[in-house]
Amino acid sequence: MIEESFKVEETDITHLHETKITDHDISNLNSSENSFDIQSSGTGMQSLLIIAILEAYIEHNIEDQNVILIIEEPEVYLHPSLQRKIINILKQISSSNQVFISTHSPIVVSQLKPNELVCIKKENGITKKLAADPVSIINELGIKPDDIFQHTKILFVEGQDDKKLIKSLIHKLVVNKRIDPELVDDLKIIDVGGIDTLSFYTNARILDVMNNAHNNHYKFWIMVDSDGNSKNEVKVKIEESLSEFTNIYNEKNLFILEEYAIESYFIDENILCHLFNNLDQVKTTEICQKYFELYHNGMSEKNMNKKAQFQNKYKPKNFFLRNESVFYEKSWGLNEDEIQTLHNIQRNWSTSNIDQYIESLPLDLLEKSRIKEIISHITSIFDQITVGLK
């Protein structure tokens, strides 16, 4: 029973900035029909606005800001794909800032590392901090493994773009009679959002149990990019993640790519000029060479304290996704003409079209580029599948 003397203090909330969004494509800017107040919009729309603001923050944040960002359930009312997107954005921000979120979403949690999680549960009216071990979190949130039971051969990759690229290259190799088309459906490709996420842990855990029960009947491979680390650093990290899974890990089936990310493999003058005939071959060659020169110089100079700064500066997304000119001037030391060349490439490029790019590129051109490394790994996997069938 609440005492009558108990009162709730009323507080007026004053917004320092207008919270309306205006559609500038509507000519009559004085009309009330061309704008809406975000405060009166649904939670889903507000979450989408958060994504847009955070993406803008990343795009314009050149130097470290050292801010603390706290968000309650950022995934609310968002489609699963957008949940993954907002977490990827927050992970980028957390590389140089502190980010705290609360969530009940298995999708969100599956994209994070176990050491990034704190599990809180209320029992008998008392809030307790539970052990944040993967098994407890999997059981608490009901994270499920991917649909892998009907496949005995699985390739784990880190993201949707990686999966799209590899599937496109497999199709290209089939068309060119380098891979037996009857073997393609034997391989299940699963993107887990990162090899150190709970999504990967869950799949690896179930595969390990199944292999133990079925005499190593299941076979799997891992293909990851370097993310600006040395191959040995990546290898050690993966082996630590798989240390308890003795029935599935095989060092020969671990493919660590030389380059930072899949976009790196398209920073090639011959590929870009073949895809986009409005580019200048000489200028494109110069800017591609300059990027890799900057990247490798940065790799040799970076240390653990500046790792996040190095990644923010030289990740290949900065080559293809447009930043302000001041970013390229200050961070990459580009002149006005070089920045213009880069912007011309960015106007043409779309990562979502990677599969179409692969389809349009001749195989001999791909095998003369850095992409030959990925092709080699793919053919190695199918060679192993072929041997296993004999």
Side-chain angles (χ1 to χ4, degrees), residues 82-131:
L82 288 177
Q83 290 187 35
R84 294 185 181 93
K85 182 171 184 178
I86 197 170
I87 292 306
N88 286 333
I89 293 170
L90 290 172
K91 285 166 73 174
Q92 290 180 55
I93 293 175
S94 71
S95 64
S96 56
N97 303 284
Q98 283 188 295
V99 178
F100 297 90
I101 67 170
S102 64
T103 182
H104 295 93
S105 168
I107 293 172
V108 169
V109 172
S110 68
Q111 303 302 302
L112 301 172
K113 307 173 187 177
N115 64 2
E116 294 173 333
L117 299 168
V118 176
C119 189
I120 305 294
K121 186 177 182 180
K122 182 173 283 188
E123 294 180 340
N124 300 321
I126 300 174
T127 301
K128 295 181 179 180
K129 176 184 174 184
L130 303 181

Side-chain angles (χ1 to χ4, degrees), residues 191-310:
D191 65 283
V192 290
I195 298 305
D196 48 8
T197 63
L198 277 187
S199 175
F200 175 69
Y201 181 94
T202 306
N203 284 288
R205 182 168 176 246
I206 198 71
L207 276 174
D208 189 67
V209 172
M210 292 166 67
N211 252 3
N212 185 46
H214 298 283
N215 297 316
N216 294 322
H217 181 59
Y218 293 85
K219 193 176 186 68
F220 86 107
W221 297 265
I222 301 172
M223 191 181 299
V224 297
D225 37 48
S226 70
D227 286 330
N229 300 300
S230 69
K231 279 192 171 185
N232 188 61
E233 287 175 316
V234 178
K235 180 173 177 286
V236 168
K237 189 176 179 181
I238 291 174
E239 289 181 342
E240 287 176 352
S241 299
L242 295 174
S243 59
E244 63 183 277
F245 303 127
T246 57
N247 296 303
I248 55 175
Y249 178 65
N250 183 339
E251 185 179 348
K252 293 188 298 184
N253 294 348
L254 172 61
F255 302 112
I256 302 170
L257 301 179
E258 293 284 351
E259 303 302 336
Y260 188 112
I262 60 166
E263 291 93 345
S264 306
Y265 291 88
F266 290 85
I267 303 177
D268 179 290
E269 62 274 12
N270 294 319
I271 287 178
L272 291 173
C273 289
H274 188 280
L275 292 173
F276 315 117
N277 56 19
N278 61 339
L279 298 180
D280 182 278
Q281 180 82 30
V282 174
K283 291 182 177 180
T284 303
T285 300
E286 290 172 353
I287 199 64
C288 289
Q289 290 175 347
K290 183 144 192 177
Y291 168 79
F292 281 109
E293 180 182 334
L294 289 167
Y295 177 77
H296 291 300
N297 288 341
M299 277 283 287
S300 62
E301 296 170 3
K302 79 177 175 76
N303 54 49
M304 291 305 295
N305 294 328
K306 295 183 178 179
K307 182 177 177 180
Q309 185 178 1
F310 163 79

Side-chain angles (χ1 to χ4, degrees), residues 41-78:
S41 299
T43 308
M45 176 60 75
Q46 292 179 8
S47 296
L48 289 174
L49 181 62
I50 290 173
I51 293 177
I53 292 172
L54 293 177
E55 286 189 312
Y57 172 87
I58 292 173
E59 182 177 348
H60 297 285
N61 178 40
I62 298 174
E63 302 298 333
D64 294 345
Q65 295 293 322
N66 296 319
V67 301
I68 298 176
L69 183 64
I70 303 174
I71 304 178
E72 181 180 10
E73 297 186 332
E75 77 280 357
V76 172
Y77 300 117
L78 288 180

Side-chain angles (χ1 to χ4, degrees), residues 312-330:
N312 287 335
K313 274 188 177 182
Y314 300 117
K315 59 188 176 185
K317 279 184 169 59
N318 288 332
F319 187 95
F320 287 112
L321 299 181
R322 184 167 181 148
N323 285 293
E324 298 290 340
S325 296
V326 65
F327 170 86
Y328 299 110
E329 181 183 342
K330 289 185 176 181

